[in-house]
Amino acid sequence: MKSIVIQQPNALAIEERPLPSPAAGEVRVKVKLAGICGSDSHIYRGHNPFARYPRVIGHEFFGVIDAVGEGVDTSRLGQRVSVDPVISCGHCYPCSVGKPNVCTSLVVLGVHRDGGFSEYAVVPAKNAWVIPDAISDKHAVMVEPFTIAANVTGHACPTEQDVALIYGAGPMGLVTVQALKGVYKVKQVIVVDRIDERLEMAQRCGADWVINNGNQSLQAVLEEKGIKPTLIIDAACHPSILQEAVNLASPGGRIVLMGFSSDPSQVAQQGITGKELSIFSSRLNANKFPVVIDWLEKGLIDPDKLITHTFEYQHVKDAIELFEKDQRQCCKVLLTFSE
């Protein structure tokens, strides 16, 4: 089989590898589609501290089960599945309180273990979620990105009365816009970014108001309108955002951080405690695949509004370079592995 391998930073190759056999409790998935994420690019460029090389990247993928290991019912053969990349132990403290996404022995497919940018991938059977026939292949491969939004909103518990502010109109910001508007019916969703074309994508995803903060002060614009957001989500992930978010937030508001920067954020405690703000962080997803599959079945979200490009997997280098360089027109890029 052919696999896309990052041999070391900035060295990508399509290698011929032996067809894997599923071990006990595992299934083998014939991959049909996979999505490119920023973390795939970071591993390629050597900017992901968790990755070990060589590595088959890819943690957003969909396909069909074509082999099962010992202990897995053969009725699973032929099932269309999306794969949850989060592999957890099930018994440590985080797992016991419903946070397998921060398991003390966390393994993420495509990061710590070979992932889905391959013609075939072996994964735990419990991580292969069945996709109903009514959901198309290209929507099925988008389940994982939307689980990020499901995890964020699971922390923040949005209501129709919220005024939400989202920093960043990249893929993670856009899936969150769709969740807030389509699932939770939040009355006002504001998106801030410095790229006009990305802000247009945010409007197509349901944003009520977009602001380019590259040429104007976000704080001044919101103060002029008398708006104090009750829910702020940082999907831009810059260390400077936290203090501004604290300044902008309504008393009693919530802030959710999605960033992974190792640079420090400076923030005054008084702004947090004076307003009794709640600050959450969100990593990956905690058992959110069935949640997103339900959203898709009910038509509450629309992945088509994010998918901008599709490449055959043989052109993965071109696909990643486009993803990295064209932030104006490119949002979600899919790779095709089989029909």
Side-chain angles (χ1 to χ4, degrees):
M1 69 173 185
K2 294 288 196 297
S3 298
I4 295 166
V5 183
I6 309 300
Q7 297 167 325
Q8 60 186 22
N10 295 303
L12 181 152
I14 298 177
E15 295 182 0
E16 182 69 35
R17 290 193 163 190
L19 187 66
S21 296
E26 293 184 332
V27 297
R28 186 173 67 203
V29 177
K30 182 178 182 181
V31 178
K32 298 187 76 172
L33 287 169
I36 294 175
C37 173
S39 61
D40 298 314
S41 168
H42 295 156
I43 295 170
Y44 182 21
R45 302 306 179 188
H47 301 149
N48 186 314
F50 304 109
R52 297 293 177 267
Y53 303 91
R55 176 64 63 232
V56 176
I57 54 174
H59 62 271
E60 305 172 5
F61 61 105
F62 159 81
V64 176
I65 293 176
D66 84 322
V68 298
E70 182 183 346
V72 180
D73 197 312
T74 55
S75 66
R76 299 214 60 182
L77 291 168
Q79 287 181 343
R80 302 168 66 241
V81 294
S82 285
V83 178
D84 186 344
V86 175
I87 300 175
S88 54
C89 74
H91 53 73
C92 67
Y93 172 74
C95 287
S96 73
V97 294
K99 293 181 178 287
N101 51 322
V102 287
C103 171
T104 56
S105 54
L106 177 68
V107 171
V108 179
L109 293 171
V111 182
H112 308 96
R113 168 176 160 177
D114 286 345
F117 282 13
S118 185
E119 291 183 299
Y120 294 86
V122 168
V123 305
K126 64 183 179 62
N127 287 60
W129 289 90
V130 177
I131 297 297
D133 291 341
I135 297 175
S136 69
D137 290 0
K138 68 175 181 175
H139 284 191
V141 76
M142 291 290 290
V143 171
E144 197 281 339
F146 276 94
T147 64
I148 306 303
N151 214 66
V152 165
T153 53
H155 288 310
C157 301
T159 72
E160 294 182 14
Q161 286 71 44
D162 273 312
V163 175
L165 171 66
I166 299 175
Y167 282 90
M172 295 304 93
L174 298 179
V175 294
T176 306
V177 171
Q178 288 203 25
L180 291 176
K181 295 300 292 187
V183 178
Y184 293 94
K185 312 301 181 187
V186 170
K187 71 175 180 181
Q188 186 173 30
V189 175
I190 305 162
V191 179
V192 58
D193 200 292
R194 299 189 174 194
I195 300 174
D196 286 332
E197 290 84 352
R198 281 290 175 90
L199 292 171
E200 290 170 10
M201 291 183 197
Q203 288 180 307
R204 290 196 291 273
C205 284
D208 299 293
W209 185 24
V210 297
I211 301 169
N212 187 322
N213 64 337
N215 47 32
Q216 58 188 326
S217 162
L218 174 61
Q219 184 158 351
V221 171
L222 293 180
E223 285 178 353
E224 181 185 342
K225 299 280 188 180
I227 291 175
K228 287 193 173 297
T230 59
L231 171 58
I232 299 178
I233 296 167
D234 174 15
C237 309
H238 191 278
S240 65
I241 289 173
L242 178 56
Q243 180 63 68
E244 184 175 73
V246 168
N247 294 342
L248 297 178
S250 165
R254 296 97 77 211
I255 298 171
V256 186
L257 304 176
M258 299 168 68
F260 239 96
S261 173
S262 59
D263 294 332
S265 295
Q266 288 189 316
V267 59
Q269 289 183 1
Q270 186 179 46
I272 299 171
T273 52
K275 297 179 181 179
E276 201 175 74
L277 300 177
S278 299
I279 299 180
F280 301 89
S281 62
S282 184
R283 182 182 184 189
L284 300 165
N285 88 94
N287 301 317
K288 300 301 185 187
F289 267 64
V291 173
V292 173
I293 291 168
D294 182 61
W295 291 356
L296 285 169
E297 281 197 286
K298 292 176 178 174
L300 302 178
I301 53 175
D302 184 3
D304 286 336
K305 292 178 179 176
L306 277 77
I307 300 167
T308 54
H309 297 82
T310 303
F311 288 78
E312 298 290 330
Y313 79 87
Q314 294 91 339
H315 303 291
V316 61
K317 283 187 179 180
D318 294 336
I320 293 177
E321 287 183 11
L322 176 75
F323 176 82
E324 291 173 337
K325 294 176 181 177
D326 187 2
Q327 294 189 338
R328 296 186 180 279
Q329 305 301 329
C330 176
C331 184
K332 204 66 195 172
V333 181
L334 302 183
L335 298 176
T336 301
F337 284 87
S338 66
E339 291 299 322

